[in-house]
Amino acid sequence: MKTAVIVFPASNCDRDAAMALEKVTGRKAEMIWHRETEIPSDIDFVVIPGGFSYGDYLRCGAIASRSPIVKDIVAKAEKGLPVAGFCNGFQILAETGLLPGALMRNKGLKFVCRPERLTIANGNSRYTSAYGNTKEVVFPVAHHDGNYYADDKTLNILEKEGRVIFKYADNPNGSARDIAGICNDHGNVFGMMPHPERAIDPLHGGTDGLTFFKSIIESI
Amino acid sequence: MKAIVHIGLKPGVLDPQGRAIARSLTDLGFDSVTGARQGKVIELDIKGNDAEKARQDVTDMCEKLLANTVIESYRIDIEN
Amino acid sequence: MKAIVHIGLKPGVLDPQGRAIARSLTDLGFDSVTGARQGKVIELDIKGNDAEKARQDVTDMCEKLLANTVIESYRIDIEN
Amino acid sequence: MTQAVEITSEIVAEHGLTEDEYKIILDRLGRSPNLTELGIFSVMWSEHCSYKSSRRHLGKFLTSGKRVIQGPGENAGVIDIDDGDAIIFKMESHNHPSYIEPYQGAATGVGGIMRDVFTMGARPIALMNALRFGEPSHPKTKSLVDGVVAGIGGYGNCVGVPTVGGETNFHKGYNGNILVNAMCVGLARTDNVFYSAAKGVGNPIFYVGSKTGRDGIHGATMASAEFDDDSDEKRPTVQVGDPFTEKLLIEACMELMATDAIIAIQDMGAAGLTSSSIEMADKGGVGVELNLDDVPQREDGMTAYEMMLSESQERMLMVIQPGKEQLAFDIFEKWELDVAQIGSTTDTGRLVLNHGGKIVCDIPIAPLADDAPNYDRPHIATPKRDEINADNIALSDLNKAVLDIMGSPDIASRRWIWEQYDRHVMTDTVDSSQSGGDAAIVRIHGTNKAVAITTDVTPRYCEADPYEGGKQCVAETWRNLTCVGADPIAITDCLNFGNPERPEIMGQFVGCIEGMNEACRAFDYPVVSGNVSLYNETNGQAIPPTPAVGGVGLIPDLDFYTTLAGAKKGDALLLIGETTGWIGSSLYLREIANMETGAPPPVDLEQEKKHGDYVRRLIRDRRVHAAHDCSDGGLMVAATEMALAADLGLNIQRPADSCAISGWYFGEDQARYLLAVDANSVNPILSTADSLGIKAQQIGTFGGNNLTSNDGLNIELSKVRTTYEAWFPKLMS
Ligand SMILES: Nc1ncnc2c1ncn2[C@@H]1O[C@H](COP(=O)(O)OP(=O)(O)O)[C@@H](O)[C@H]1O
Ligand SMILES: [Mg+2]
């Protein structure tokens, strides 16, 4: 099992993501600089971490989503490689079009950082299967632009196809239909604003995130 | 040459910033304001002086980077 | 009526956003771009049809809320 | 171009230099300076860079100790936290810029203090902020709060360093001069700390980071000048921060620091290229020659004067080991930063600047540093205030008093602030503002130890009695660190005062320093870094004396720590320390009785030490479920905060033999702690206290849903919470 974390200029949860992956797989994640052009073929799971790639300039995730490595991520994700983006990583995935919709400025217009209760909207996905009977988890959120938008048609499709994976119990940012995390139509690409990698340690944020990583790793 | 790109949210996409601006303005007593929308302008310096070519290039830039066409629309002005 | 307020950084004020956009465009192969600046536009819906009054009001709004006159300058267009 | 300007007495005055100071310049140069040279002298000799009013007093501080690797004098202080780990920290003000442009002023304040820390080889791991605003009802307050908080969050969040705590006060004394003090704590290895002394001759000098623009020219002199109604005209000097570039700078510097390429490194802070190059040269006893044409520039036609005085942010200067130039270029280019070799060290002891084929400055470096003015400004002590007897201060409605004080500006929840700060990034935040605790706890990555961090000062006390107030602010940080089970190690400070040319202000300054120093010595708790911000006055109205203190402690083992939260049902509430009912200068007196009078509580440092050491011992013995010190609002506020944090009711029993009721609940006697402990622990804890000569008693029991007491107090905790949480959002709505 080999995993990789992509590093963009001003990614800032890259180390946190790598720690989570190491904790679950027992193996160091490979750190891949955004100027690289290829994800090594033996990588089984790619995480696009949170942060402020390119300072969130222009639009969050926009500039990063056009970087060389992302081209290859898109190509491999379309062939089935599991790819997950958290926070800025979700924004980047939405900008590539791998995930539908867009992330807009929070409804309250302020950055919001707090532990957030999430309901598991689809417990059978590759990213939630290990949760068993658990219906609710707590992951921290920390973002300025996490207000998920998609047109009604897209939202209906997402809900109908079980592609809404997590919903906010107490919507912090105005996201449409309380959506916190979604996946693509094949279920291998996943994005959400909350940070599961910040919930892998009882001293810091709880351990609900461990099960999240376990789910996807076990599915591979 | 200069290209001025105006980028705004598509109609129907909720604009939390615009709404907040309208609300603050009425709070400040500017009752005549009935709505507000916020967009951005990107001003580009472009080499050369073929306006038609520049417009094509900038359209390409908008599609590839400057605008997110899921939520935004854009308009380009070329100035000499 | 509509008032269009263009707000941009004053000359000389650091525009990291513009810089990042220009660099990214050249990275994407748009070599003709030599610089970029980003500003915002706020479009206001205004009751009434006294353009002069509207311009005065909007100037007031800019000074009080819309623009940060320490680092930004603004320009107002009134459309009927 | 700059050479053509004739130096008139007006120009000298505009540069904030006195006639006497100018005479020294003439004497040392043996000729008139040109404008560039004058500008260089003026910024080096500004209050901000030269500490000319404060230097002799700062020298009194205890600055050494067994864990101190580097005290004041470098970019930040360095302390040893065992196992080869070092903690590097400092606090700094950005008051004037934040008043003029709150978002950018606060943001660049955070950026600046982070650079001070990573310059020394430390990865920043935590940020704190100490804020003072004017009255809540003042027309500017709301937008200042909004901008400052957004700016602090905007910068720290983007760079990816958690903002873990701070303090926020409101008082009319800050209506015209807010205070924005930011603190950064970084982690380094003791054998890889970097200093600023440029060593060796002929070594290349590198410029890295953002390009130089005309930002903030004269910022350093602005920070040393009083505001008046024309200060709007000083506006164009405000700089804009670019946290994105800062993040790249951190990563690039960390990468280069892992090699042996750097001889010396210094960030460009106030007075930019001037102070960084001169300080590096002066410390290393070398000269410097710079080619200004090679400085990366953002604007066309910049003069030497402008380049030397620019305060563009996110820039560093370094002396590189000869032969390692390419290595440095490669790393900085990988991180997409501007980089240039702009000069080299020389053996002349002079600062020589070349620009456009001419020498535009050639001055000896020694006088810039050594001959900087050092004033013994006249000072008069603040007159003592009368003590106030709590018997004369009635407490008519305890329920109302508790609700009023919990919803008052200085006590109400700061959630509105700290929810805008990323407190979790880097995943080592064990405790932060989120629990409302006394000190934030940040784990040392990959270990089971942690640092505790707090910032405190009670300007009310400092104003009433600078000496006692000075003792108190140091003591409170020491207590706050103790409350989480940390061994207090060292402090940094940010001394915010009015105009030092007024003897009463200078008296406050000297009094506070002496009190602080007394406390530092009593606790063996040295000052390792700090910052002075003077001239915080508008139209002759000075701020209350505000020596903010940032304390840092070590939790050697995270199996033993406490926070404010954690009281369990049935736990006893113990009060450690003497309660005389000291009501003078208390928050209660100000908020409920509407009086800002009376002598502040005296600080018995011996008692502080004894009580704190005992509390820490109890925490290490795992006897304590939750701990909190009594500060603003006395034991009633502290107890209520513990109940809120545990979401558990509390019954308080005031002993029959206590002092006056208002003083007992709300007095601010020092050296006191509240502990939540298991009922079975009460007797052993009290009897040991007794044997140590420490006053300790049980004053309550946790349980139920209400706050109650034998004086008729009875409020639902949820109602208290609503009041406590409502104030800030209401202010900002
Ligand atoms: N500006 C701020 N930024 C972050 N946290 C803050 C700020 N102001 C206050 N807090 C947090 O609110 C809590 C209460 O602050 P304070 O009353 O100063 O505590 P104490 O009196 O125990 O030192 C603390 O946890 C503190 O960290
Ligand atoms: Mg405290």
Side-chain angles (χ1 to χ4, degrees):
Chain A
M1 168 61 53
K2 278 192 78 177
T3 61
V5 176
I6 313 302
V7 186
F8 297 96
S11 289
N12 64 29
C13 304
D14 43 337
R15 185 186 79 175
D16 304 351
M19 272 171 42
L21 290 171
E22 186 178 345
K23 197 157 183 167
V24 175
T25 64
R27 208 167 150 176
K28 277 211 173 344
E30 189 158 331
M31 308 305 279
I32 300 181
W33 183 237
H34 73 123
R35 293 263 175 212
E36 302 287 317
T37 51
E38 213 174 322
I39 301 286
S41 58
D42 58 347
I43 296 290
D44 302 298
F45 176 41
V46 172
V47 168
I48 305 186
F52 284 69
S53 60
Y54 291 95
D56 274 358
Y57 297 145
L58 187 61
R59 287 182 315 278
C60 303
I63 298 179
S65 73
R66 274 68 170 173
S67 68
I69 195 69
V70 173
K71 269 211 189 88
D72 193 51
I73 292 177
V74 172
K76 294 206 160 86
E78 278 166 353
K79 293 204 192 92
L81 177 70
V83 176
F86 313 127
C87 202
N88 192 224
F90 183 19
Q91 294 164 339
I92 292 170
L93 287 172
E95 280 282 342
T96 63
L98 277 175
L99 292 172
L103 292 139
M104 314 214 337
R105 181 53 46 100
N106 291 348
K107 194 169 166 214
L109 303 182
K110 302 240 175 275
F111 189 96
V112 56
C113 172
R114 63 182 187 222
E116 205 64 62
R117 285 185 302 124
L118 307 179
T119 52
I120 300 176
N122 177 356
N124 299 318
S125 79
R126 289 180 74 174
Y127 289 88
T128 48
S129 55
Y131 279 110
N133 290 327
T134 305
K135 290 276 170 289
E136 192 174 285
V137 293
V138 176
F139 293 160
V141 299
H143 58 250
H144 210 157
D145 300 78
N147 182 351
Y148 182 71
Y149 170 86
D151 57 29
D152 277 325
K153 196 174 130 221
T154 309
L155 293 171
N156 290 340
I157 293 173
L158 287 176
E159 296 205 298
K160 195 169 121 245
E161 295 180 353
R163 288 164 56 192
V164 175
I165 310 297
F166 292 100
K167 285 195 168 202
Y168 297 110
D170 181 11
N171 194 335
N173 52 29
S175 287
R177 302 189 192 177
D178 299 325
I179 288 173
I182 56 169
C183 66
N184 66 346
D185 50 358
H186 285 97
N188 61 312
V189 180
F190 171 85
M192 76 169 157
M193 290 312 294
H195 287 275
E197 81 283 13
R198 297 187 185 184
I200 58 162
D201 177 347
L203 276 179
H204 173 96
T207 53
D208 286 351
L210 283 178
T211 317
F212 171 89
F213 287 104
K214 227 178 262 160
S215 301
I216 178 65
I217 297 295
E218 279 170 2
S219 84
I220 294 167
Chain B
M1 267 185 313
K2 266 190 189 160
I4 320 276
V5 184
H6 299 259
I7 302 170
L9 290 173
K10 287 184 174 165
V13 177
L14 191 76
D15 173 11
Q17 272 153 314
R19 278 219 328 203
I21 290 170
R23 184 145 23 100
S24 317
L25 287 173
T26 43
D27 280 358
L28 284 173
F30 295 106
D31 310 318
S32 59
V33 176
T34 58
R37 283 160 303 284
Q38 177 167 330
K40 45 192 167 195
V41 207
I42 296 166
E43 199 182 296
L44 299 170
D45 303 322
I46 311 262
K47 273 191 293 219
N49 42 23
D50 179 344
E52 214 23 65
K53 162 100 173 52
R55 179 177 301 276
Q56 269 171 27
D57 279 356
V58 176
T59 307
D60 210 16
M61 292 178 208
C62 285
E63 293 290 329
K64 286 215 175 110
L65 177 71
L66 299 179
N68 178 345
T69 51
V70 175
I71 48 172
E72 294 171 328
S73 57
Y74 59 89
R75 201 187 75 226
I76 299 166
D77 291 337
I78 305 283
E79 291 177 6
N80 264 321
Chain C
M1 268 186 310
K2 264 191 192 162
I4 319 276
V5 184
H6 300 259
I7 302 171
L9 289 172
K10 287 185 178 166
V13 174
L14 177 74
D15 177 11
Q17 185 144 241
R19 217 181 71 129
I21 292 170
R23 189 187 283 249
S24 175
L25 286 172
T26 43
D27 275 0
L28 286 174
F30 295 106
D31 310 319
S32 58
V33 176
T34 59
R37 283 161 302 283
Q38 175 162 339
K40 48 188 171 190
V41 211
I42 297 168
E43 198 181 298
L44 300 170
D45 303 322
I46 311 263
K47 274 193 293 221
N49 43 25
D50 179 345
E52 213 25 63
K53 163 99 174 54
R55 179 176 300 276
Q56 268 170 28
D57 280 356
V58 176
T59 306
D60 210 16
M61 294 176 206
C62 286
E63 292 290 329
K64 286 212 176 111
L65 179 75
L66 301 180
N68 177 351
T69 52
V70 179
I71 50 176
E72 293 172 331
S73 56
Y74 58 88
R75 201 187 75 226
I76 299 167
D77 292 336
I78 306 282
E79 291 178 4
N80 262 320
Chain D
M1 170 181 165
T2 63
Q3 270 62 36
V5 177
E6 198 199 331
I7 306 299
T8 61
S9 54
E10 286 79 46
I11 291 184
V12 171
E14 256 169 44
H15 280 78
L17 290 163
T18 66
E19 275 173 39
D20 287 341
E21 288 167 355
Y22 187 59
K23 274 194 202 127
I24 303 176
I25 297 175
L26 291 178
D27 176 65
R28 298 302 186 269
L29 292 186
R31 61 172 168 86
S32 302
N34 63 36
L35 189 61
T36 302
E37 293 166 340
L38 183 77
I40 289 172
F41 270 97
S42 85
V43 291
M44 288 306 293
W45 288 5
S46 69
E47 189 68 58
H48 193 86
C49 292
S50 74
Y51 290 87
K52 59 189 167 194
S53 303
S54 59
R55 207 148 84 227
R56 62 184 58 236
H57 301 289
L58 298 176
K60 298 171 194 165
F61 276 138
L62 171 71
T63 57
S64 58
K66 58 181 191 302
R67 287 189 181 274
V68 176
I69 295 176
Q70 173 67 51
E74 276 287 339
N75 285 301
V78 185
I79 56 178
D80 187 331
I81 57 161
D82 304 329
D83 316 309
D85 294 321
I87 284 292
I88 300 188
F89 63 95
K90 183 169 184 235
M91 175 153 52
E92 196 160 70
S93 68
H94 232 211
N95 304 335
H96 293 69
S98 301
Y99 186 78
I100 292 171
E101 210 311 275
Y103 185 97
Q104 295 298 342
T108 51
V110 172
I113 193 62
M114 267 196 277
R115 282 193 297 285
D116 273 333
V117 164
F118 73 76
T119 298
M120 298 199 67
R123 178 173 284 282
I125 59 168
L127 291 165
M128 300 279 289
N129 58 111
L131 312 176
R132 320 277 154 189
F133 298 102
E135 282 168 295
S137 59
H138 188 273
K140 288 200 101 161
T141 298
K142 190 180 140 181
S143 64
L144 288 168
V145 172
D146 201 61
V148 165
V149 170
I152 290 171
Y155 206 101
N157 297 346
C158 178
V159 174
V161 178
T163 302
V164 294
E167 56 174 343
T168 311
N169 286 170
F170 296 87
H171 191 269
K172 62 175 185 298
Y174 304 101
N175 279 353
N177 295 81
I178 61 169
L179 302 184
V180 175
N181 296 171
M183 174 173 171
C184 179
V185 178
L187 174 66
R189 297 293 293 170
T190 51
D191 60 5
N192 206 35
V193 174
F194 290 80
Y195 298 96
S196 57
K199 286 191 212 84
V201 168
N203 293 333
I205 297 180
F206 270 53
Y207 169 116
V208 186
S210 291
K211 290 185 167 64
T212 296
R214 292 193 172 93
D215 335 66
I217 291 174
H218 267 171
T221 37
M222 176 175 88
S224 314
E226 212 179 298
F227 276 174
D228 52 38
D229 290 328
D230 298 334
S231 34
D232 282 4
E233 301 203 338
K234 294 181 179 151
R235 281 182 162 187
T237 60
V238 169
Q239 320 99 348
V240 169
D242 178 8
F244 171 57
T245 297
E246 179 102 338
K247 168 71 175 167
L248 302 185
L249 256 186
I250 294 180
E251 297 306 330
C253 287
M254 293 288 133
E255 201 170 316
L256 188 61
M257 282 164 167
T259 73
D260 55 2
I262 299 176
I263 296 175
I265 173 166
Q266 168 79 31
D267 65 300
M268 292 190 221
L273 200 46
T274 293
S275 70
S276 55
S277 58
I278 289 169
E279 277 167 26
M280 287 174 90
D282 180 58
K283 283 190 184 135
V286 299
V288 163
E289 182 162 349
L290 301 180
N291 300 312
L292 296 181
D293 301 302
D294 296 335
V295 170
Q297 292 160 51
R298 202 172 78 223
E299 294 177 63
D300 293 332
M302 289 191 69
T303 63
Y305 179 93
E306 289 170 328
M307 270 187 264
M308 291 308 287
L309 268 57
S310 161
E311 295 196 345
S312 292
Q313 302 286 298
E314 292 93 21
R315 300 179 301 160
M316 313 283 276
L317 201 63
M318 37 191 104
V319 179
I320 296 290
Q321 201 83 54
K324 303 281 178 173
E325 292 92 338
Q326 198 52 47
L327 176 73
F329 275 121
D330 288 347
I331 289 176
F332 293 122
E333 276 159 12
K334 166 185 164 194
W335 289 99
E336 303 181 9
L337 293 161
D338 278 300
V339 51
Q341 182 177 335
I342 63 165
S344 53
T345 55
T346 66
D347 60 2
T348 61
R350 298 180 78 82
L351 175 70
V352 176
L353 303 176
N354 304 299
H355 188 221
K358 286 202 211 86
I359 293 178
V360 294
C361 163
D362 184 354
I363 52 179
I365 284 168
L368 281 165
D370 304 347
D371 297 338
N374 180 355
Y375 296 128
D376 189 1
R377 304 231 188 247
H379 48 92
I380 50 177
T382 305
K384 293 273 180 211
R385 290 190 190 171
D386 290 338
E387 290 175 18
I388 290 183
N389 186 341
D391 288 334
N392 302 328
I393 304 297
L395 174 52
S396 49
D397 184 342
L398 185 54
N399 288 326
K400 182 168 183 309
V402 169
L403 287 173
D404 284 352
I405 206 158
M406 292 310 293
S408 68
D410 280 357
I411 296 292
S413 168
R414 272 74 178 113
R415 178 184 300 274
W416 186 91
I417 295 181
W418 50 253
E419 279 199 343
Q420 296 185 54
Y421 299 155
D422 189 338
R423 306 178 301 284
H424 307 135
V425 63
M426 301 184 94
T427 60
D428 285 307
T429 306
V430 176
D431 201 40
S432 69
S433 320
Q434 198 165 315
S435 79
D438 287 295
I441 303 175
V442 178
R443 180 171 52 194
I444 302 304
H445 194 65
T447 74
N448 200 37
K449 64 185 178 189
V451 284
I453 315 164
T454 180
T455 64
D456 291 282
V457 57
T458 312
R460 286 194 309 282
Y461 300 167
C462 296
E463 179 147 53
D465 184 338
Y467 178 73
E468 286 302 324
K471 275 159 62 181
Q472 196 274 341
C473 57
V474 173
E476 186 169 347
T477 63
W478 193 84
R479 270 195 318 257
N480 283 343
L481 298 174
T482 295
C483 282
V484 298
D487 294 317
I489 297 182
I491 66 170
T492 180
D493 65 60
C494 199
L495 307 176
N496 308 277
F497 289 81
N499 180 349
E501 294 160 40
R502 287 167 55 196
E504 25 346 326
I505 301 291
M506 203 56 209
Q508 294 175 337
F509 185 76
V510 173
C512 283
I513 285 192
E514 282 169 357
M516 291 169 71
N517 187 37
E518 178 92 13
C520 289
R521 288 178 193 270
F523 302 139
D524 193 14
Y525 188 39
V527 179
V528 295
S529 58
N531 172 249
V532 178
S533 170
L534 301 174
Y535 296 95
N536 292 287
E537 339 200 321
T538 301
N539 297 330
Q541 193 60 48
I543 56 159
T546 312
V549 177
V552 172
L554 176 66
I555 299 177
D557 181 349
L558 276 169
D559 294 343
F560 310 91
Y561 75 94
T562 49
T563 69
L564 176 73
K568 298 184 174 64
K569 194 165 167 239
D571 273 3
L573 179 66
L574 302 188
L575 170 62
I576 309 286
E578 203 86 52
T579 302
T580 70
W582 196 285
I583 205 89
S585 282
S586 66
L587 195 71
Y588 175 84
L589 205 60
R590 188 179 90 194
E591 294 297 323
I592 311 294
N594 247 315
M595 295 160 64
E596 293 191 47
T597 53
V603 183
D604 181 332
L605 294 168
E606 214 170 294
Q607 264 192 22
E608 288 280 4
K609 177 98 173 57
K610 199 157 69 172
H611 299 178
D613 289 346
Y614 184 48
V615 168
R616 229 173 294 113
R617 178 174 139 194
L618 292 172
I619 292 172
R620 299 277 160 89
D621 288 345
R622 299 185 197 239
R623 291 272 195 192
V624 181
H625 294 158
H628 196 13
D629 73 320
C630 297
S631 54
D632 282 349
L635 77 81
M636 188 64 226
V637 166
T640 306
E641 287 172 345
M642 290 175 81
L644 287 171
D647 199 13
L648 200 56
L650 171 65
N651 173 261
I652 297 178
Q653 292 291 320
R654 181 168 61 90
D657 60 351
S658 88
C659 60
I661 172 168
S662 60
W664 192 80
Y665 282 101
F666 297 107
E668 296 180 1
D669 292 282
Q670 299 292 299
R672 294 187 303 162
Y673 296 83
L674 291 179
L675 308 178
V677 305
D678 192 276
N680 293 323
S681 300
V682 174
N683 285 336
I685 291 176
L686 296 187
S687 67
T688 311
D690 195 44
S691 70
L692 293 169
I694 295 172
K695 167 110 181 185
Q697 62 200 121
Q698 178 172 355
I699 60 158
T701 310
F702 285 94
N705 302 316
N706 288 24
L707 273 186
T708 56
S709 87
N710 57 348
D711 289 305
L713 175 69
N714 190 355
I715 327 173
E716 280 167 37
L717 193 63
S718 58
K719 194 169 165 195
V720 181
R721 190 185 302 284
T722 305
T723 308
Y724 175 69
E725 292 290 351
W727 185 83
F728 222 113
K730 182 154 171 272
L731 172 72
M732 300 310 296
S733 73

